[in-house]
Amino acid sequence: MNVYSTICPGCNFGCGLYIRENGKPEVDFRKSSPANAGKLCRFGMSLSRLYAPVKSTVDGKETSLEEAAKEAARRISAGKGSAAFLSFGNTTCEELLAFQKVAESYLCTGANFEALPKDAYQTLSVGIPYSEIEAAKHIVLFIDPYEQYPLIVRRLLSARKKGAKITSVWWKDLPLADENIRPADVSKLQLTKDSLVIADFHPLSDIEQVKSVLSLAKNAGAKITFLKPFANSTGAYLLSKDAKQKSLAQLVEDINKGTIKTLFCLESDPSELIPAETLGKLTNLIIQTGQAVTAKANVVIAHEPLYRKKGTLVNNEGRAQALGGTGTGGLDALGIIAGTKFEFNSLHESVKKALGISAVDEFTIPGYDRPAYGAIQASSKPAEAKTALVSVYNPFMWYGLPDDNDFVEVNLNMVKALKLLKGGYIKIKSNGSSLEKRFKVSPVQDNVLLAGRKFGVEKGISTPVEVSR
Ligand code: SF4
């Protein structure tokens, strides 16, 4: 009774696993899972830390889910016209459909669809089956598979075993790549119709970079697939791609301007993506969640964690997966906020209709339309800063879970130029802040520091910095 057959929320790869509640949640391997055949990465093995218990509170005082949801409803309605609704897709399709109804006035899923051509939405939203990756002849990576989407490494190794050539366009040489090209030298990349491009798409994506990879693939007639970071990013994007929505950058601007004063976040910790000084300008931060968050919220509506929920997730391949629980606390809370009752069964029917399926079956990938997109004009890339700290966003970073990688990766040229001492530190200055970090020598691009952890000075993916010993 206390074992849940569920999906890892660490990224949108869709790895199946069991969670056993034994005092705290314990992870077990689920070998029958089609996305990962039971294998899990370090993050998947850390889920008991992610699912730390959380309590409903209003202004710091513990209360019930109902009272917290009622108070949230009062505050949202008092600030009518100045409330925004944010969810990155960390929850079920059924909850996300209900959320869209609540959020009609100002919806943000983190996907900057507004800045992208509409005919590319489907390509951006739903990727290709992993079996097609294994069968590709030439794979081009615009990601670090080891750090960002670890379970894809097995698929890439399998493709390589079958003779695929792997090219990486990244700031560091990747051990599984036959050819390593630096992002600034992308013009050296040779694509053909046999190439398969793997990039990623998320709330911090550089839109010009997204357009650029779409355009490269289009011009060569190559396939392209986008990986995504949240448990149900694909479901969230598929369900909301025709909805009117704002980008994360627009939301930050509107909070800074004071036009948005109340922010309601569904299963999304805003402190990972919105600067603290911006969050500090809100009158009300309301978070509905099933796991502990780091943001200081005025109202926390706490319900069951994801693995105890009833509902559907959609992974990068478009595979619909049932969560193994029975909980509908999230829908109940959204119903209190909307002043209505959300029925699971009717939302589930709408989800199946939107995905074009008659039943949720994780062993069958629905036959999605994958229409070709038109020519895309990508603007030329601005010159890279002389020295930059590049954040390699990985599951630990998206969820604000501390990892043991409290260092930056630099190359030997930087170590020699700065006369860094073995076992010592590198000083990093940026945006008026200064910090000292341990360093690791890796085959990284000149003048780049790679980090798999946030240090508090970052401005997006690439942050200009000054470095010294
Ligand atoms: S690859 Fe992604 S989904 Fe799979 S175990 Fe790791 S974090 Fe979880």
Side-chain angles (χ1 to χ4, degrees), residues 7-17 36 39-45 47 145 148-152 228-229 231 395-396 399:
I7 307 295
C8 172
C11 72
N12 198 208
F13 203 81
C15 295
L17 71 155
N36 60 319
K39 304 278 190 296
L40 295 171
C41 73
R42 280 188 311 124
F43 187 87
M45 297 301 296
L47 290 185
Q148 299 182 286
Y149 304 96
L151 259 294
I152 203 166
K228 302 166 213 86
F396 288 93
Y399 285 91

Side-chain angles (χ1 to χ4, degrees), residues 160-181:
R160 217 179 123 152
K161 221 168 151 184
K162 292 180 195 156
K165 174 185 170 186
I166 300 185
T167 302
S168 100
V169 184
W170 196 247
W171 292 275
K172 179 170 92 167
D173 292 353
L174 300 180
L176 55 57
D178 302 286
E179 178 187 32
N180 287 283
I181 296 175

